[in-house]
Amino acid sequence: MMSISGAVRTARIGGGRILLATVGLAALCAHAVAQDAARRGEVPQADLRRQTDGSAALLSPALSLPPYRPASAGAVPDEPADGDSLFPFEVDADQTTAPAMPQRAATTRRGRSDARAARTEAPDAAVPAEPAIVPAQGRTQRIDALDEELNRRVEPGNARLDAIETGTVAREQNPYAPLGLRLGTFDATVTLDQGILWSSNIDKKNAGGEAFVSQSELRLRAVSDWSSHSAQVEAVGIFQKSVSGGDYERTELGIDGSLAYDLGRETTVTATASYRMAPEAASSPIVLPATDSKPLNHEMSASLGVERSFGRARLGLTGAVEREIYSDFEGLCCGTVSQEDRNFTLSTIALRGGYEVSPAFTPFIEAEIGRRSYDLQQDTSGYRRSADRFALTGGTEIDLGEKVQGEVSVGWLRESFDDDRLVPVSALLLDGTLSWSPMRGTTVRVTGGTSVEGSTTAADSGSVLYTSRVELLRESRPNLTLGLLGGISFRDYVNSSDTETTLSAEVNATWWMNRFAGVNGRIRHERLDSTRPNRDYDESSIYLGLKLQR
């Protein structure tokens, strides 16, 4: 049997355990109240005194939680205005039961989607504002997280754009044009044409024979890429060699260059230079002795001019020099034949005055004086063929944009020889170059000129040659170009009534397989009719070749 002291001891131990349990329960209640206060805000002390579990009596004023402060600055005003509270309601101390809190506005993805669907189904109804949150009696209002607005899905307002790689690409105007090469500040293009030529009269003689000829043609064109000035260079080389039929070989070289330099807005300086080497044409007015090969003819020219505008009036001064050299050749009858008496230099100065009546037409008058000087003071026949030159022309410059461009002129030309036994050359002067584009992809080009030809025949003053050429180009497809060419020339001998007429016609086509290679061909016919004996001839030719460009 337990003693009284043991019972007392047991009672003390049991009472201590009950006291410890009571203290622990009070601490847990205080901790829960602190968490609720931290979450909902400070709770008035009057509510704590109304608790019946006795846990509130254990809370001292020192354990009251501080008022709610957001973690992010700017979530609520730092200092509320007079009469305002940090929260949109005041706690009623006399009310012990809090009414049910209203449901918050949907902030989840699904809730927002349902809200948008509801608005879509009733488009005519006014869209209500966000439902106001009715504060609960006896508790603080919950504040949403600061980034809640950022989490909401943005309404689709902008149309989706395609990727840059799949965007619309501008169509190239000429997909078969050469890419070209960059040479310093010039853009250059190179073209090589290799083919076979058949001719019914390869020598263009009164009784010539047919032959198959291998033809190689190389062309170079360079255009400057400058901001204010411009320059252009063109070069060509043609080599022909017979592969069957008669023995035939021909080489032709040529180069031309031009420069336009602006000295201010009203003054422009222009310069040109050219060189050409080719065998003398069979239609030359000079009858040469029989020879195995045709002698070469070298032509060189250069000019320098300046043009000044005074309002609509224009004034230009141009100086030009032309040089022709005829090489010696081996004749079948008489050995080496010299042609030094045919070499000459022509120097001229031209003064032009014009007036721009409209941007499209600028009429002008041009006066030219010059001197044709032969290398030999007297030719092999004893005639002094050097002569003074004078010309007066009038015409107009035409500029209708892309439709029509060029100039035409007509005048009178006279050359008086130093030898009075020679009749002066006096003739109508016709010159012009005109480009016309009646429709897109079609170009018509017309050229014409007048030149004076010398002579080595005794008492013969020479002849005047008029030339004209019309060329039609049609781009039927981006890779197919068709051409039609017609030419006429008329030679008038000064000391006689003899004349010569040359007619030519040509049809050509070029088909490009790609940007770098194409096939071209042409059919040509030429005929010369002369009142002089043994000079008439007919010649037909067909050419087919491969053209490469870069």
Side-chain angles (χ1 to χ4, degrees), residues 1 36 58 82 116 217 250 317 336 445 447 516 532 543:
M1 177 177 298
D36 185 76
L58 301 177
D82 296 340
R116 286 196 301 271
E217 180 177 342
R250 184 175 187 269
L317 182 65
T336 303
R445 183 177 178 86
T447 58
F516 305 100
R532 294 192 172 187
Y543 175 81

Side-chain angles (χ1 to χ4, degrees), residues 297-314:
N297 179 20
H298 303 267
E299 297 180 1
M300 294 163 283
S301 65
S303 66
L304 179 63
V306 58
E307 182 177 313
R308 173 74 177 181
S309 298
F310 302 90
R312 291 192 173 186
R314 298 181 182 178

Side-chain angles (χ1 to χ4, degrees), residues 233-522:
V233 178
E234 293 186 10
V236 59
I238 301 176
F239 178 76
Q240 294 178 333
K241 176 68 176 178
S242 60
V243 295
S244 68
D247 186 14
Y248 179 81
E249 184 176 332
R250 184 175 187 269
T251 302
E252 180 178 350
L253 299 175
I255 184 171
D256 297 284
S258 61
L259 171 66
Y261 193 89
D262 297 331
L263 296 178
R265 298 180 57 185
E266 307 295 337
T267 306
T268 303
V269 176
T270 58
T272 62
S274 65
Y275 170 77
R276 180 177 178 270
M277 181 201 73
E280 190 167 3
S283 60
S284 173
I286 305 299
V287 179
L288 301 177
T291 177
D292 290 336
S293 61
K294 295 180 180 180
L296 295 178
N297 179 20
H298 303 267
E299 297 180 1
M300 294 163 283
S301 65
S303 66
L304 179 63
V306 58
E307 182 177 313
R308 173 74 177 181
S309 298
F310 302 90
R312 291 192 173 186
R314 298 181 182 178
L315 186 64
L317 182 65
T318 304
V321 177
E322 297 181 11
R323 172 74 174 167
E324 288 195 14
I325 301 176
Y326 298 86
S327 62
D328 302 340
F329 64 93
E330 296 293 333
L332 298 178
C333 62
C334 45
T336 303
V337 178
S338 175
Q339 298 193 98
E340 188 178 4
D341 55 351
R342 297 179 62 187
N343 300 339
F344 70 88
T345 301
L346 175 62
S347 304
T348 61
I349 297 178
L351 179 64
R352 172 182 292 194
Y355 185 81
E356 181 182 340
V357 297
S358 70
F361 296 96
T362 305
F364 65 86
I365 297 178
E366 181 176 287
E368 177 185 283
I369 58 174
R371 173 78 175 174
R372 187 186 299 271
S373 302
Y374 283 84
D375 293 355
L376 298 181
Q377 188 175 1
Q378 292 182 349
D379 61 6
T380 55
S381 301
Y383 287 86
R384 293 179 289 118
R385 295 190 173 273
S386 297
D388 295 327
R389 178 187 178 97
F390 176 78
L392 181 64
T393 59
T396 181
E397 298 178 7
I398 304 174
D399 187 1
L400 297 177
E402 297 181 355
K403 287 297 181 182
V404 181
Q405 285 186 342
E407 72 173 47
V408 293
S409 63
V410 59
W412 195 260
L413 169 69
R414 181 181 176 86
E415 287 192 8
S416 301
F417 296 98
D418 294 345
D419 199 320
D420 296 336
R421 295 174 296 174
L422 298 174
V423 179
V425 177
S426 183
L428 181 67
L429 187 61
L430 300 173
D431 288 295
T433 301
L434 198 63
S435 296
W436 174 42
S437 179
M439 63 180 65
R440 186 177 182 87
T442 302
T443 303
V444 179
R445 183 177 178 86
V446 181
T447 58
T450 304
S451 59
V452 176
E453 300 173 316
S455 175
T456 57
T457 305
D460 191 357
S461 299
S463 59
V464 179
L465 179 65
Y466 299 94
T467 59
S468 179
R469 177 174 174 173
V470 179
E471 183 178 6
L472 171 64
L473 292 178
R474 171 61 181 171
E475 185 179 318
S476 59
R477 296 181 60 184
N479 63 335
L480 179 60
T481 303
L482 304 177
L484 180 63
L485 186 146
I488 181 174
S489 64
F490 178 78
R491 179 177 286 115
D492 183 17
Y493 290 91
V494 177
N495 297 92
S496 65
S497 60
D498 292 334
T499 59
E500 291 179 352
T501 303
T502 303
L503 300 175
S504 62
E506 179 182 310
V507 178
N508 57 68
T510 302
W511 176 67
W512 293 101
M513 297 178 289
N514 51 45
R515 192 185 290 270
F516 305 100
V519 178
N520 67 326
R522 65 174 179 266

